[in-house]
Amino acid sequence: MKDQPAHRGIPKPEIEIAWYEACRLDVAVFKPGNVSLASPGHDMSAEDFLTSAAVSLPPMVNPELGVGARVLAAVRATRAAVGCNTNLGILLLAAPILKAAEHSDEASVPAIWRALKAVLAGLTAADAAEVYRAIAEAAPGGLGEVEEASVHSAPPATLLHGMALAQARDRIAYEFVHDFAGVFGLGQRSLNEGYARWQSIDAAVQWCFLSWLADTPDSHIARKYGKALAESVRAEAVRLASEIKACENPPDFERPLADFDTKLKARKVNPGTTADLTVASTLVWWLSDRG
């Protein structure tokens, strides 16, 4: 009997589609405080994000590149194309997910999660150096800037060590240290719940975003404005999520979401980390057999 060829993971065209859909939905879906096709803000437009997704796709889905190399190349491509940081958090979360998809036994959430844990366990010193360089070049304002491991100093021995130092103040770092438990837990539950209730991927993504925001004070807001404001926004999201959950039709969401968006943007408050976590959750959803 001839040997069977080794499984090579989820096919690259499907990975590319999942990346495109997750990034497209990031701006196609109206999410309070974030940039979208319906509501620009923070000196950025939805077109900036779509351009960023397009130019970062080649390195992000390149199986020859490691996690750190993907992030660094994608950050450089993004800054060359749009001149600002639109997607660092997305890139940090997506790079190990995309690499895991290339090695997953099947297109299911459990299989992708198993592969992701192996990717995280295999992160190298080179990944740490490349990610720290990418963060410094993207200049996001705070990620990893702790005394023991500033992104402007020598990187730690491993990327996970650096993320462990930052996890108390940055949710993306926390996800790395905890095997992306939120993305594969809360993220998938809220997407599935939203889609089952409203039969709309847009409504599911909105529900995922609100679920994240209601669950976890946004660390981007906390870094810029302090923990008190981040907690205040979280409390408002809890109230809004309760109101929306009672709605039968997604169009009924529009007014309360628009009011929250206006309030946040008037104060220049952007739940950016929550948006990044939502994109990562949506990416996993599309990569799996649920997408």
Side-chain angles (χ1 to χ4, degrees):
M1 180 177 178
K2 292 184 178 180
D3 292 338
Q4 295 296 315
H7 181 80
R8 297 190 178 184
I10 298 172
K12 188 175 180 182
E14 294 180 18
I15 293 175
E16 292 175 348
I17 290 170
W19 170 256
Y20 171 77
E21 288 298 327
C23 292
R24 181 188 67 81
L25 287 164
D26 182 39
V27 292
V29 173
F30 183 77
K31 306 190 307 301
N34 293 156
V35 175
S36 68
L37 291 169
S39 180
H42 314 295
D43 299 318
M44 294 178 287
S45 69
E47 288 72 20
D48 292 330
F49 284 79
L50 293 173
T51 298
S52 301
V55 300
S56 61
L57 183 146
M60 289 296 284
V61 301
N62 184 347
E64 301 300 318
L65 298 181
V67 168
R70 295 182 197 213
V71 174
L72 180 56
V75 162
R76 288 174 171 171
T78 297
R79 291 195 69 85
V82 300
C84 62
N85 169 36
T86 54
N87 59 3
L88 175 63
I90 294 171
L91 300 175
L92 287 169
L93 290 166
I97 292 172
L98 293 168
K99 188 172 180 65
E102 296 163 2
H103 299 279
S104 179
D105 292 335
E106 60 185 17
S108 70
V109 170
I112 296 169
W113 199 4
R114 285 194 300 271
L116 176 76
K117 292 174 182 178
V119 169
L120 294 176
L123 291 172
T124 66
D127 289 311
E130 289 156 345
V131 165
Y132 269 50
R133 193 175 308 128
I135 294 170
E137 291 186 15
L143 183 63
E145 291 181 4
V146 293
E147 182 179 352
E148 299 91 339
S150 167
V151 296
H152 302 293
S153 62
T158 70
L159 180 56
L160 285 183
H161 177 65
M163 292 296 185
L165 295 172
Q167 66 171 318
R169 63 198 300 270
D170 188 90
R171 181 65 195 211
I172 292 173
Y174 181 95
E175 287 294 301
F176 269 81
V177 175
H178 294 84
D179 291 333
F180 285 47
V183 169
F184 283 83
L186 183 151
Q188 301 313 299
R189 287 195 305 272
S190 59
L191 283 166
N192 288 327
E193 181 182 56
Y195 191 79
R197 179 172 178 79
W198 295 294
Q199 294 298 300
S200 162
I201 184 58
D202 288 27
V205 171
Q206 283 179 332
W207 184 244
C208 180
F209 174 83
L210 284 172
S211 297
W212 271 115
L213 194 57
D215 180 81
T216 307
D218 187 275
S219 55
H220 178 72
I221 296 174
R223 284 199 307 273
K224 290 195 69 175
Y225 299 107
K227 293 181 180 180
L229 181 58
E231 174 57 29
S232 174
V233 172
R234 187 199 69 81
E236 178 69 9
V238 170
R239 184 198 63 77
L240 184 60
S242 177
E243 181 180 341
I244 286 177
K245 193 171 185 179
C247 293
E248 293 296 331
N249 301 309
D252 294 337
F253 303 174
E254 292 178 5
R255 181 60 181 270
L257 289 173
D259 290 345
F260 194 24
D261 181 68
T262 299
K263 184 185 299 185
L264 291 173
K265 286 178 179 169
R267 301 182 66 179
K268 301 186 184 301
V269 173
N270 177 16
T273 300
T274 302
D276 297 337
L277 293 163
T278 302
V279 174
S281 301
T282 308
L283 176 61
V284 171
W285 197 87
W286 272 100
L287 285 166
S288 75
D289 50 15
R290 305 178 196 186

